[in-house]
Amino acid sequence: MDFNPIYDTLKLLGYRWTLEILASLAQSPKRFNELQRDVGNYNAKTHGDAVARLVEHGLVRHPNDGDGVHYALTPMGEFVIPALDAFVKGMSQWDDNRSSGDRSHQP
């Protein structure tokens, strides 16, 4: 079984602010500063790097709609949101069980 695609995906998603940016854009397209404030109002260079990485990987686009630049999810970005949601919920449940010492869901 080839796990490399999974490792590559986890590496991309593991960059700081990636999940927050995707979750914010899943709600609606946003301008650069609005997106930055929505996800944590962190350093503009860090924000720019994070958004550029997502654009480079085809998850985010930034069309110029005449009213300024709005970042939005691409169809691939929209496709990944339900999978991320399920993953986050599953990992949160796993962490809750692990933290509470509940081993009943382990093989």
Side-chain angles (χ1 to χ4, degrees):
M1 188 178 295
D2 182 13
F3 292 109
N4 286 327
I6 294 169
Y7 293 136
D8 292 343
T9 300
L10 290 174
K11 180 179 177 183
L12 172 62
L13 296 176
Y15 283 107
R16 187 67 177 118
W17 303 111
T18 297
L19 297 176
E20 292 87 347
I21 291 169
L22 292 173
S24 177
L25 292 177
Q27 302 302 310
S28 66
K30 293 180 176 66
R31 292 176 185 252
F32 184 88
N33 289 333
E34 180 185 9
L35 179 59
Q36 184 180 7
R37 282 189 303 271
D38 192 42
V39 300
N41 203 24
Y42 51 100
N43 174 295
K45 180 180 179 343
T46 302
H47 178 61
D49 291 347
V51 172
R53 186 178 311 106
L54 292 171
V55 169
E56 178 184 332
H57 287 278
L59 297 173
V60 171
R61 61 182 169 83
H62 56 93
N64 188 343
D65 61 7
D67 188 28
V69 176
H70 285 80
Y71 291 90
L73 294 177
T74 63
M76 187 186 317
E78 292 174 4
F79 178 80
V80 78
I81 295 299
L84 284 176
D85 187 47
F87 180 75
V88 169
K89 286 178 182 172
M91 290 294 95
S92 293
Q93 183 180 16
W94 174 82
D95 187 53
D96 289 346
N97 289 340
R98 182 187 58 83
S99 297
S100 70
D102 181 0
R103 307 283 190 240
S104 63
H105 298 299
Q106 295 181 353

